[in-house]
Amino acid sequence: MASPWSACLLFVHVQAHACSHIKSDKPSNVLDVTQLPSRKLVLSFVAASGCLALMAEWSWVAYTVLEVLIAAACCFGNVLVMCAVCFGIRDSLREPTFCFLVSLAVADFLVGVAAVPLAVLLDGWVSLIPELCLLLSCVVLVLTQASVLSLLAIAVDRYLRLHTPLRYKALATQRHTWIGVSVCWMLSCLLGFTPLFGWHNYSSPASDSTNTSSTSFIRPPCTFLSVISLPFMVYFNFLGCVMAPLLVMTLLYTRIFWSLQGRLKDSCPQSRASLLREKRLACSLALVLILFAGCWIPLHLMNCLLLFQGPQAVTQGTLYTGILLSHANSAVNPVIYACRIPKIQQAYGQLWRRFLAWLNCCHREKAGSQIINMQLSH
């Protein structure tokens, strides 16, 4: 079976060979159709369409397979993070940073459970009423916004811990922390579901076709950009809901590192170890922020190109790459926690030892039951 690339090369060869036989005595801007080798040109156009269709099919298959792998990694990794923090670290939920990390892990887990399947589904494979298509598309925006606000809450918590140490314990109570988590998710829902209140890309069928009955109305395939407005994605979602918090977080971490650097120079040996732990944790959390920006900003820049230069500015393969990169961010975070945060490393080790002990116990019980059955049979 020929590969897509060999089909494309065949198309280019046939088209070049066909066009080389065109002879015309007329000026260059006038084309004599009777002198065109019609059979060869027809074959070239058939080859072109077959080539493009085959490449599109292969790109979609590769995209879908990668999305399935990313979804599985998101679910497994973030469930492990939630179990490690909630059960492997003693009194971890009393610390605001770990509470917001759990909130971020929940958002990343939901990316694997909901956002990735919806991204594959909302690629024109289903025909839904516009309202339902819009609602499902907004779910992806809610989860993205929850991740952004959780990262912002972590940055604010580290800043307050370092710059207001006397008031920090009074401010960062468990009650205040869970109120902060709830506010993050409520704001995420409010900002993510904004298109439902009117800033969307479709109009109701009643206003579009007054002479057409509802039974003859044909629903178009449901895609993300068929219902979500590009101006909304660029001006509101990207600039207002993603870039503005990222700039605030960048300023906060800059202040944190600047302050830690100054304190380390003037610190005594007793406090130096504590400051180094604080700096290591801040570096780990800043790395999570940098990866989030690096994975999501390319997709938003593609939306900017689509808005200002039209659909031809971004190819389907490039758009698939941007979507995969944004979803992969949710699978990478658990790896960062495991490699960079010592408490989570220890919690992973405890969970692994418990799992091995459980397997050993199950094996012993199975072996014991087999021995008892053999004795009873004899």
Side-chain angles (χ1 to χ4, degrees):
M1 180 178 177
S3 67
W5 305 109
S6 61
C8 290
L9 291 173
L10 177 64
F11 155 64
V12 173
H13 175 73
V14 170
Q15 190 178 37
H17 181 70
C19 292
S20 65
H21 288 78
I22 298 177
K23 296 179 180 179
S24 177
D25 298 330
K26 297 182 179 182
S28 59
N29 60 344
V30 179
L31 182 63
D32 189 355
V33 179
T34 60
Q35 294 183 7
L36 292 177
S38 59
R39 185 172 179 274
K40 291 182 178 181
L41 284 179
V42 169
L43 286 174
S44 68
F45 284 120
V46 170
S49 60
C51 167
L52 294 176
L54 191 58
M55 290 183 65
E57 182 180 353
W58 275 100
S59 65
W60 182 85
V61 170
Y63 166 72
T64 305
V65 170
L66 290 174
E67 284 282 42
V68 170
L69 295 176
I70 289 172
C74 288
C75 294
F76 175 76
N78 288 289
V79 165
L80 194 61
V81 169
M82 289 184 279
C83 291
V85 173
C86 295
F87 304 112
I89 303 175
R90 186 178 179 182
D91 296 331
S92 61
L93 296 182
R94 294 181 181 274
E95 298 184 28
T97 298
F98 286 110
C99 290
F100 291 120
L101 273 179
V102 169
S103 174
L104 181 59
V106 170
D108 289 337
F109 171 75
L110 291 176
V111 166
V113 171
V116 172
L118 286 175
V120 176
L121 189 67
L122 301 181
D123 195 28
W125 289 98
V126 291
S127 295
L128 303 171
I129 60 173
E131 291 79 4
L132 181 57
C133 183
L134 180 62
L135 178 63
L136 294 177
S137 299
C138 288
V139 171
V140 180
L141 301 177
V142 170
L143 297 178
T144 306
Q145 201 59 47
S147 298
V148 172
L149 294 180
S150 296
L151 288 170
L152 179 60
I154 291 171
V156 172
D157 171 69
R158 303 320 297 176
Y159 180 83
L160 292 176
R161 183 184 179 90
L162 191 64
H163 287 84
T164 58
L166 298 178
R167 295 185 58 199
Y168 179 76
K169 288 186 177 180
L171 290 173
T173 62
Q174 193 172 13
R175 179 172 174 270
H176 289 166
T177 300
W178 287 112
I179 289 175
V181 171
S182 302
V183 168
C184 285
W185 280 91
M186 286 190 290
L187 275 177
S188 302
C189 292
L190 182 63
L191 297 173
F193 286 126
T194 299
L196 294 177
F197 302 106
W199 199 350
H200 48 66
N201 223 17
Y202 74 91
S203 55
S204 63
S207 62
D208 286 343
S209 53
T210 55
N211 298 325
T212 306
S213 62
S214 60
T215 56
S216 63
F217 178 71
I218 300 175
R219 293 171 186 163
C222 175
T223 61
F224 184 83
L225 291 179
S226 68
V227 290
I228 300 294
S229 169
L230 274 174
F232 166 82
M233 288 299 299
V234 172
Y235 298 122
F236 184 82
N237 187 261
F238 178 42
L239 297 179
C241 298
V242 175
M243 282 307 297
L246 283 178
L247 289 175
V248 172
M249 285 183 268
T250 302
L251 291 175
L252 288 175
Y253 278 113
T254 303
R255 290 288 306 274
I256 287 171
F257 287 124
W258 184 270
S259 178
L260 283 171
Q261 197 65 28
R263 293 187 187 189
L264 282 170
K265 290 180 180 178
D266 303 329
S267 64
C268 59
Q270 291 80 5
S271 61
R272 188 174 182 83
S274 175
L275 289 172
L276 285 173
R277 285 196 300 271
E278 186 71 28
K279 184 178 180 180
R280 179 180 174 84
L281 181 58
C283 288
S284 303
L285 298 173
L287 179 60
V288 172
L289 172 64
I290 291 169
L291 286 174
F292 179 88
C295 289
W296 277 98
I297 286 179
L299 183 60
H300 285 289
L301 292 179
M302 291 178 202
N303 288 333
C304 294
L305 288 175
L306 290 172
L307 176 63
F308 296 119
Q309 296 187 11
Q312 72 281 356
V314 181
T315 64
Q316 189 67 33
T318 306
L319 195 60
Y320 280 158
T321 304
I323 295 170
L324 287 170
L325 188 62
S326 65
H327 292 161
N329 175 249
S330 298
V332 169
N333 284 340
V335 180
I336 302 299
Y337 305 151
C339 296
R340 300 283 305 178
I341 302 178
K343 285 187 176 181
I344 295 184
Q345 287 178 357
Q346 297 169 7
Y348 281 167
Q350 290 179 10
L351 289 176
W352 178 246
R353 287 191 292 271
R354 289 179 187 178
F355 178 69
L356 291 179
W358 176 77
L359 284 180
N360 191 22
C361 181
C362 291
H363 179 71
R364 287 180 180 179
E365 288 180 358
K366 185 178 180 180
S369 63
Q370 288 177 351
I371 292 173
I372 293 173
N373 291 334
M374 289 175 63
Q375 290 175 350
L376 290 175
S377 63
H378 290 296

